[in-house]
Amino acid sequence: KKEDFEQHFPFLRLSFDEHSWRGLWQPRKAGHLSPRTLALIQAALAGRNGADVIDTQLDGVHAEAEHWVLQLHGKGRLEAKKVLLAAGWNTSWLSKETERLDIKHQMSQAVLLEVSEPMPTMPVIILRGPRDPEEYWYVLPPIKYPDGRTYLKMGYEGKALNKVLSSQEESQRWMQSGRAVPELFSAAERMAKQFFPGAAFTGQRRSIVCITDATQPTAQGEQRPYIDFLQKGLAVASGGNGWAAKSSDHIGWLAAEMMSNASGWASDEESKRLFPKELFQACYKSRL
C-alpha cells in the first residue's frame, strides 16, 4: 500500500494513481559495490598469489603450432599452452573461436545526477513498471565518484533506448562516445525528481556507458555466463548478462577450477552439485 512505502521509504514517491506497486525489501546482504575498486583488489590479490599482472590491451589470440599466441597492444606477444579469455564484450572479437559464440551485445547506460546532500537511509532500488523508459531503473544512493562529486545514479535497464550493437565497429563507437542518448538524460531527470522530490539536485549531470554481453537464454528463460573450453587450451568466461560484477569472484573461481583440474571443472562435490558444468556450456551462432 502507498502508506507502507511512505512509512519505510519517506524519500520515495511512487504514483499509485496510475497503477499498483509491489515491493520486496531486502534489508541485509544487499547493497552496491564499486567495479573500479573491485578490479583493483582482484588484480592485487592475483599479484600476491604469484600472477604477473600486465596492464595493457589484448589485441587478439590465435593458435600457433602447439600453443596459443596473445598479441599485446604495443608490447609484443606472449605464448601459452592454456588461455582463459574473460574480457567482457571484447571477448567476442579476440579470436576466430570466440567470434562464433552466441552472444548479443547491447547498449548499457546510466545517468548520474549530482546532489548536494546525502541520503543515508536510501537503499539500492530496482524499479520495474509498465512504462519504458520511465519506470525501468536501478537506482544507487548518492555516493562520491572519482571526480569528487556526489551523484545519485539512475541506471537504465529497459529496451526502448538500449539497442543491440551488431558489430565490433559499432560497439567501439558506442564506447568511445562516452555519453548516454539524449532521451535518457531527459527521462532520468524527470523520473528522479518524481521518485525523489526531496533530493537536493544541483543540476549537474553526466553519464556512463558500457556494453552488456548477453548469452543465449535457456528453455526456462534463464541466462548464464559461458564458462567453457572452445578448443584445446582455449577457454572463455564470458557473457555476464549485466550481472557479472557482483558474481565475478565465483565466476572466476569456477573458471580457474576448469583450467586447473584434470576433470575440467570444480573438484568438490558440493560445487559440482550447485554449479553443474553443463549449465555453463558455450552456445554458438547458427550457421546459415
Side-chain angles (χ1 to χ4, degrees):
K1 294 186 297 183
K2 178 180 179 182
E3 293 76 16
D4 294 332
F5 277 94
E6 293 181 352
Q7 179 183 352
H8 283 93
F9 311 110
F11 50 81
L12 178 63
R13 291 292 182 271
L14 298 175
S15 175
F16 283 82
D17 296 332
E18 298 180 20
H19 45 257
S20 299
W21 290 86
R22 298 288 186 270
L24 176 64
W25 184 28
Q26 186 177 341
R28 294 183 300 275
K29 295 186 177 180
H32 56 87
L33 56 82
S34 166
R36 294 171 294 277
T37 303
L38 177 64
L40 289 173
I41 292 172
Q42 290 171 333
L45 289 174
R48 289 181 188 178
N49 285 275
D52 293 322
V53 180
I54 303 172
D55 187 10
T56 193
Q57 177 180 315
L58 176 64
D59 288 340
V61 178
H62 66 272
E64 191 173 289
E66 298 297 319
H67 57 267
W68 294 91
V69 175
L70 293 84
Q71 193 66 45
L72 307 181
H73 188 73
K75 293 189 178 181
R77 57 186 245 167
L78 292 176
E79 297 179 2
K81 290 185 177 180
K82 287 185 178 181
V83 173
L84 171 66
L85 293 176
W89 65 273
N90 284 292
T91 300
S92 295
W93 295 293
L94 287 176
S95 75
K96 293 180 179 179
E97 291 76 15
T98 55
E99 285 179 359
R100 297 172 47 228
L101 290 171
D102 193 353
I103 291 180
K104 180 175 67 175
H105 302 88
Q106 187 166 335
M107 286 177 166
S108 178
Q109 46 191 330
V111 173
L112 305 181
L113 303 173
E114 187 184 28
V115 296
S116 59
E117 298 177 5
M119 300 168 66
T121 61
M122 178 181 170
V124 174
I125 299 173
I126 299 174
L127 289 167
R128 292 289 183 274
R131 296 187 298 161
D132 183 356
E134 289 85 354
E135 297 168 343
Y136 233 87
W137 307 91
Y138 69 90
V139 187
L140 268 60
I143 57 174
K144 185 172 286 188
Y145 280 74
D147 65 358
R149 296 177 181 268
T150 299
Y151 296 100
L152 180 142
K153 180 180 182 181
M154 297 283 290
Y156 174 60
E157 293 195 310
K159 294 183 178 179
L161 301 179
N162 278 341
K163 76 172 195 175
V164 174
L165 302 166
S166 58
S167 67
Q168 183 180 13
E169 291 73 22
E170 190 176 13
S171 298
Q172 289 173 338
R173 284 196 301 270
W174 168 245
M175 293 298 291
Q176 290 166 359
S177 75
R179 188 172 178 82
V181 299
E183 298 91 334
L184 193 68
F185 276 103
S186 57
E189 288 186 310
R190 184 173 67 254
M191 300 315 297
K193 291 175 181 178
Q194 178 180 315
F195 293 144
F196 312 106
F201 295 110
T202 68
Q204 293 292 325
R205 65 184 193 177
R206 51 174 286 209
S207 62
I208 299 173
V209 303
C210 57
I211 295 173
T212 296
D213 49 340
T215 57
Q216 179 68 25
T218 65
Q220 294 74 33
E222 299 170 342
Q223 289 175 284
R224 298 187 179 89
Y226 299 150
I227 308 175
D228 200 3
F229 276 98
L230 307 185
Q231 282 196 12
K232 182 179 179 181
L234 180 67
V236 294
S238 189
N241 297 293
W243 313 311
K246 64 183 177 61
S247 307
S248 58
D249 279 350
H250 209 82
I251 292 173
W253 179 81
L254 283 172
E257 288 283 286
M258 174 184 68
M259 299 295 287
S260 58
N261 291 330
S263 65
W265 200 243
S267 56
D268 65 284
E269 294 302 319
E270 182 71 1
S271 294
K272 287 191 286 187
R273 182 182 67 82
L274 292 173
F275 307 102
K277 182 178 181 179
E278 57 270 17
L279 292 183
F280 302 93
Q281 289 179 342
C283 295
Y284 296 92
K285 299 173 186 175
S286 58
R287 295 185 178 182
L288 300 179

